[in-house]
Amino acid sequence: MPRHLHGDQLRIGIQEAIVALLTVTARANPLLLLLEDWHWVDDASQAVLEQLIKEEEGLLRRHLGIALSLDRLSSGFNNRHRRLMERGAPD
């Protein structure tokens, strides 16, 4: 990461780099992400997964699988998790 990035610019740069790394990796070889205890996810990790699903929808159908382990009864489960599950669900 460039040293001049700070705050939101740094956060966005890291998020985009992670999405790019996962995208390139999945295009080279099928990839399965196993995300355990996702109901405790932090905002930055949630944003990466949301961006990956939004920007790489075709990739998800062909080369990338995502398995989330979460507890719907947990106090950490919220509407963001529900929307993410609905967006990532196959047709």
Side-chain angles (χ1 to χ4, degrees):
M1 284 283 127
R3 292 178 186 248
H4 69 277
L5 294 180
H6 300 284
D8 282 343
Q9 289 181 331
L10 179 61
R11 180 188 53 77
I12 291 167
I14 291 171
Q15 180 176 322
E16 289 176 351
I18 293 169
V19 169
L21 175 66
L22 292 171
T23 300
V24 168
T25 301
R27 285 193 176 133
N29 293 299
L31 179 65
L32 176 62
L33 297 178
L34 300 174
L35 306 171
E36 184 72 24
D37 292 333
W38 197 253
H39 52 278
W40 299 117
V41 68
D42 59 273
D43 290 339
S45 299
Q46 179 82 17
V48 167
L49 190 58
E50 288 174 357
Q51 181 178 344
L52 183 65
I53 289 171
K54 179 181 176 185
E55 293 183 7
E56 301 297 338
E57 190 170 326
L59 182 71
L60 286 172
R61 305 244 187 272
R62 294 184 300 272
H63 303 287
L64 177 63
I66 300 172
L68 298 178
S69 163
L70 53 88
D71 180 0
R72 290 179 186 217
L73 301 178
S74 166
S75 61
F77 185 82
N78 59 40
N79 287 332
R80 286 182 71 193
H81 296 103
R82 187 171 287 107
R83 284 192 308 272
L84 180 64
M85 289 170 43
E86 291 168 358
R87 286 193 71 183
D91 294 333

